[in-house]
Amino acid sequence: MKTLDWRTDRLRIKALLRADQSAGEVFVQGWLRTVRRSKGVNFLALNDGSCLESLQVVVGEDSPAFATSESLGTGCCVGVRGTVVASPGEGQAWEVQAAEIIVYGQADETFPLQKKRHGFEFLRSIAHLRPRTNAFGAVFRVRSRIAHAVHTFFQERGFLYIHSPIITANDCEGAGEMFRVTTLNPENPPQVDGRIAWHEDFFGAKTGLTVSGQLQGELFATAFTDIYTFGPTFRAENSNTSRHASEFWMIEPEVAFADLAVNCQLAEDFFRFMVEYALEHCQEDLAFFNQFIDKGLLERLENVVKTPFQAMSYTEAVERLQKSGQKFEFPVEWGCDLQSEHERYLTEQVVGGPLFVTDYPAGIKAFYMRQNDDNRTVAAMDLLVPKVGEIIGGSQREERLDILQRKMRAFDILPESLDWYLDTRRWGSCPHAGFGLGFERFLMYITGMENVRDVIPFPRTPGNARF
Ligand code: 4AD
Ligand code: MG
């Protein structure tokens, strides 16, 4: 057998397993998922993360690698040189008969992933090792693929990708959920008249981590027409739910010359494109989720691709909830914010699929949303989906300077503090609209995983920023 060079000849296990014919002599590298010993032969399940399936490596007694294979256990990192042959066993087309095994890293029986299945809660406590499980292998392959799908969708449609800033002085959503960014001495900050002198801080102002790239996105939309952002956002919101993370990724398109209807259509097209993309490019991983995590997943995703989304106004949604006869923890009346129990009821029970709720009361939405002619609602939309609830939030923006200024004052936002934002309304203002899709919420939807902590590599939630 010729000598294979590990730097150049390594074959990805996915390529080996998917090949129509034997890949011949190969060199593969990865981590052992299991080691099974039987009379005179050891079976190693080798996984390199390229696909869900592991490669069966067979080491017979007569192989020069047999002695080495005797010392191996779950978790070891190895390289295997051998020959690909058709597998007589069930479940795989090809296996490798090992001629040589290089051990890079041993792992003894204290390696925590010995059992086949572990609870997600336990796996969260070893977030540094969980990528080496089937479920998290699948989650992070899908995450990577879908991130690519985001760019594909917008780039194919001529949208400009903008990198909105992470550090900013403005709280876009106005909910006061910003993490502070400061270099002032926390023990003894400079003060003027008993108040912290933020103007002496690093940026000469009070700054924090962004809660949304929207306001900057709007500035770019008034130059490039169609733009999107895709980056991390941060919210110091103390809500310990399965759908809230303190650090999450958001995709925010912003489109000039668009109203709420155009915005909803874009959201629907985008959503459907991403689902179709996942069905086409993540088949093996989605089949895994369908089998082990959420039995109805594939059927639900296939239906979403075929069925137009429904829409109803907030006012109608409130009426439907009130008439439902359903007991909710939070009672519903016009003017209240919809709670997740209401959102789930609407999307799961009332329409049984994705639902746009539009035209919310002005008082419960952000200052930048465009006032409707009824003077009490704004041109807002939320997209609600079964199992997740709110997955997209968006609106047409208030492009009329005087109304926007009035609105800001009503919301206790000093117009001077956002003079740069208002400049777009002063010079060349245009109707425009946009939305934000929570990337993790979308991943929950597409994988059936029920906790936001299980679709992001290293979750940040209140009380938890280890790793
Ligand atoms: O509804 P939100 O707060 O809207 C905005 O931030 C707008 N500036 C978007 C825009 O119009 N450009 O957030 C948008 C989406 C939500 O629908 C949800 O999917 C997700 O972001 N999201 C979160 N995801 C995980 N953890 C959190 N704490 C989230 N908060 C919002
Ligand atoms: Mg929202």
Side-chain angles (χ1 to χ4, degrees), residues 181-200:
V181 171
T182 177
T183 54
L184 294 181
N185 178 358
E187 319 239 299
N188 184 22
Q191 299 195 6
V192 178
D193 300 333
R195 306 175 83 163
I196 296 178
W198 292 110
H199 64 273
E200 287 186 34

Side-chain angles (χ1 to χ4, degrees), residues 124-137:
R124 254 171 249 149
S125 74
I126 51 165
H128 54 306
L129 298 172
R130 68 179 183 171
R132 293 195 214 168
T133 61
N134 280 343
F136 287 95

Side-chain angles (χ1 to χ4, degrees), residues 173 212 214 235 245 250 252 390-393 397 438 441:
E173 294 306 300
S212 160
Q214 177 196 321
R235 297 203 184 170
M250 188 154 53
E252 296 184 274
E390 181 196 333
I391 200 160
I392 285 180
R397 320 305 189 188
R441 298 240 177 120

Side-chain angles (χ1 to χ4, degrees), residues 365 382 390 393:
K365 289 289 183 187
D382 275 4
E390 181 196 333

